[in-house]
Amino acid sequence: MKPPNTGTERHRTRARGPATALAAIAAATAVALNLAIPAQAASTLKAAAEARGRYFGTALTRGDLGISAEVNLAAAQFDMVTPGNEMKWDATEPSKGSFNFGSGDQIVSFAQSHGMRVRGHNLVWHAQLPAWVGGVPLNQVQGVMENHITTEATHYRGKVYAWDVVNEPYNEDGTLRQDVFYKAMGSGYIAAALRAAHAADPNAKLYINDYNIEGINAKSNGLYSLAQSLLAQGVPLHGIGLESHFIVGQVPSSLQANMERFAALGLDVAITELDDRIQMPADSSELQQQGTDYGRVVNACLAVPRCVGVSQWGVDDGHTWIPGTFPGYGAPMMWDSSYQPKPAYQAALSALNSGTSSPSQSPSQSPSQSPLSSPSSSPSSPVPGACSATIKTINSWGGGFQSEVTVRAGSSAVNGWTVKWAWPGGQSISSLWNGVSSGSGSSVTVRNESYNGSVAAGASTTFGFTANGAAATPTATCTSP
Ligand code: 9MR
């Protein structure tokens, strides 16, 4: 019997993609002429999300920062970081009035140096709360809570895009948890926390974040009523975080409708901690179902204009909280423990790349910058009516690498393209997207998919792949029928 997707009791305490100038001009022209903007396939989650006016984030801990393959992948694919543990109360105020922001600062500086934004997580939570808080006389808890919030949110003022101000306040039945904050202040602790955070950092988006509120149910109904009442009182609540710790095949059917009802109150919504666990060992049909699940979550967010982004709770299957809390379960991420993309990655990327691009939100404020020195092959020379192709390394790890190939039309449009190259040293493609590959041995041939064969004059499209072997950027040729 699989355990239900419930309970913080189970959460045990343990320690713009670089759009080309031409694309920008084309998009601006299309907007001016009120034309549909043709979707252009991007080959990283962040580039694809930014093209849809969203971010795609991950959680990182200080330990993760020491694992180069993991952080290189994170920097290449994501444009938002949530510290996994480093901004929680036990890390930041382990004893009364004694603050330590060293670990959180390391995550912030990693994010800043890679053009990523930060979701602050979190200010008030019943878990990972140092024991001393439980010993504070109830009539002093509000002062202690507000001092904690003010000190931390002031320290990070201007550095976080959003705060999970109150984390996981609800019981499954839609009542508030009787934690120390509730015992001291009743439900009013939530408004007090939001007001203190807003005073300390008026530009941060302030969220209530919880799990098992993704669908319409007793718990999300409780939160919905609270959100209505807080907004009616003028409390600075700006968003609802849906953690989204799913079990494969069990994404709630009411996810989109639930996000829509919160958005209709004037709130942002975000998927904040996405993972999708599988009873181990995972078989290929479960991995395909996981792809379906990730695609559904991304599509639900894209369907709701106030859904600002999706964050996965981690990067790869080798570094996730799931097996430690749900024994027998694992493989919840978009990359496996060897950093290879799984069907979930292709599904998330395809969902972001399909459909029309009409975000009603302003795009992410922080354009990504290339996190890696990315060697590129020289493009084949453009010939009128033909195309050129350039291979660029996005990421590499021991024994493998990920590349993006840009296919650019010459002075007239192409309708169908074929890119060819030869591997110099025994490399082989392990996974390819936005293209169809054939060829054998060292010769590679990639043709367009049905949806990306037409490229306007001077415009480009991309496909991507992962390969085994040492990273290489051979010169590619492009032909058009
Ligand atoms: O990923 C976090 C893990 O390292 C910690 O041990 C755990 C302790 O509660 O918290 C994990 O993150 C949680 C997040 O802060 C809130 N939602 C549930 C997450 C998974 O437990």
Side-chain angles (χ1 to χ4, degrees):
M1 198 43 196
K2 301 194 176 190
N5 188 22
T6 58
T8 288
E9 288 66 39
R10 304 202 59 99
H11 300 165
R12 274 184 246 125
T13 301
R14 292 173 284 141
R16 185 178 331 190
T20 63
L22 279 169
I25 292 165
T29 308
V31 168
L33 298 174
N34 199 21
L35 301 172
I37 303 169
Q40 186 171 30
S43 62
T44 61
L45 294 175
K46 65 180 180 184
E50 287 166 14
R52 307 295 297 271
R54 280 24 179 232
Y55 61 79
F56 216 116
T58 183
L60 291 174
T61 64
R62 196 174 55 150
D64 294 326
L65 295 186
I67 303 167
S68 58
E70 186 183 357
V71 293
N72 288 344
L73 183 55
Q77 292 287 342
F78 297 109
D79 55 8
M80 184 73 80
V81 177
T82 306
N85 288 309
E86 291 69 11
M87 291 185 182
K88 294 172 182 174
W89 198 314
D90 60 354
T92 54
E93 193 185 3
S95 56
K96 189 176 180 195
S98 168
F99 287 87
N100 181 351
F101 297 117
S103 298
D105 291 353
Q106 286 182 34
I107 308 275
V108 170
S109 57
F110 169 82
Q112 288 177 336
S113 66
H114 293 87
M116 305 158 98
R117 291 183 292 164
V118 175
R119 291 195 84 257
H121 175 82
N122 53 59
L123 294 170
V124 178
W125 186 25
H126 71 92
Q128 287 179 280
L129 185 66
W132 68 263
V133 181
V136 172
L138 286 184
N139 65 355
Q140 294 174 29
V141 169
Q142 181 164 0
V144 161
M145 181 191 81
E146 289 175 347
N147 183 55
H148 179 79
I149 294 170
T150 303
T151 306
E152 181 158 7
T154 302
H155 178 83
Y156 288 113
R157 179 165 49 209
K159 296 181 177 167
V160 298
Y161 157 72
W163 268 113
D164 290 329
V165 177
V166 179
N167 199 47
E168 302 179 354
Y170 274 94
N171 295 310
E172 295 304 298
D173 65 0
T175 59
L176 285 166
R177 286 176 193 275
Q178 311 265 307
D179 60 16
V180 64
F181 307 106
Y182 184 90
K183 285 185 181 137
M185 291 168 265
S187 62
Y189 86 88
I190 295 180
L194 289 161
R195 288 192 167 111
H198 188 60
D201 188 350
N203 294 320
K205 300 280 188 196
L206 304 182
Y207 277 67
I208 299 173
N209 186 56
D210 215 327
Y211 62 89
N212 287 353
I213 56 155
E214 295 78 18
I216 296 177
N217 56 35
K219 192 172 184 180
S220 63
N221 287 344
L223 176 56
Y224 181 77
S225 300
L226 175 73
Q228 280 182 309
S229 130
L230 291 170
L231 293 169
Q233 295 166 61
V235 174
L237 172 68
H238 308 125
I240 300 296
L242 297 89
E243 292 188 10
S244 305
H245 294 295
F246 293 131
I247 297 171
V248 73
Q250 297 184 29
V251 176
S253 54
S254 53
L255 173 63
Q256 182 181 325
N258 191 39
M259 288 198 282
E260 280 167 348
R261 71 172 172 159
F262 282 103
L265 296 177
L267 294 167
D268 286 349
V269 291
I271 303 288
T272 52
E273 303 183 12
L274 177 61
D275 46 34
D276 196 28
R277 60 187 180 269
I278 300 176
Q279 196 156 41
M280 300 302 281
D283 64 28
S284 65
S285 70
E286 288 167 316
L287 294 172
Q288 291 300 329
Q289 178 63 48
Q290 186 179 58
T292 303
D293 291 356
Y294 269 80
R296 282 192 52 202
V297 173
V298 170
N299 279 323
C301 180
L302 292 171
V304 180
R306 295 294 299 251
C307 181
V308 294
V310 176
S311 297
Q312 180 177 257
W313 200 245
V315 179
D316 65 284
D317 287 342
H319 304 94
T320 157
W321 69 293
I322 290 293
T325 300
F326 299 102
Y329 280 76
M333 303 272 104
M334 288 181 282
W335 286 270
D336 69 19
S337 54
S338 305
Y339 306 105
Q340 298 297 308
K342 295 161 60 185
Y345 171 71
Q346 321 294 358
L349 188 61
S350 298
L352 291 165
N353 275 329
S354 55
T356 53
S357 179
S358 55
S360 69
Q361 299 286 292
S362 54
S364 310
Q365 69 196 35
S366 163
S368 57
Q369 57 204 46
S370 176
L372 302 169
S373 57
S374 307
S376 304
S377 60
S378 353
S380 41
S381 336
V383 177
C387 52
S388 64
T390 313
I391 304 177
K392 180 177 159 193
T393 304
I394 297 282
N395 187 28
S396 64
W397 54 88
F401 59 103
Q402 180 182 342
S403 299
E404 176 181 276
V405 184
T406 301
V407 177
R408 183 174 296 285
S411 55
S412 26
V414 300
N415 190 11
W417 44 261
T418 302
V419 173
K420 295 186 178 182
W421 68 87
W423 290 121
Q427 292 86 353
S428 60
I429 289 181
S430 47
S431 174
L432 182 128
W433 51 96
N434 297 330
V436 180
S437 97
S438 57
S440 62
S442 65
S443 302
V444 181
T445 300
V446 179
R447 294 195 170 78
N448 59 276
E449 291 270 16
S450 55
Y451 54 82
N452 63 358
S454 299
V455 185
S460 63
T461 188
T462 62
F463 65 89
F465 62 83
T466 53
N468 302 312
T473 52
T475 300
T477 60
C478 183
T479 52
S480 171

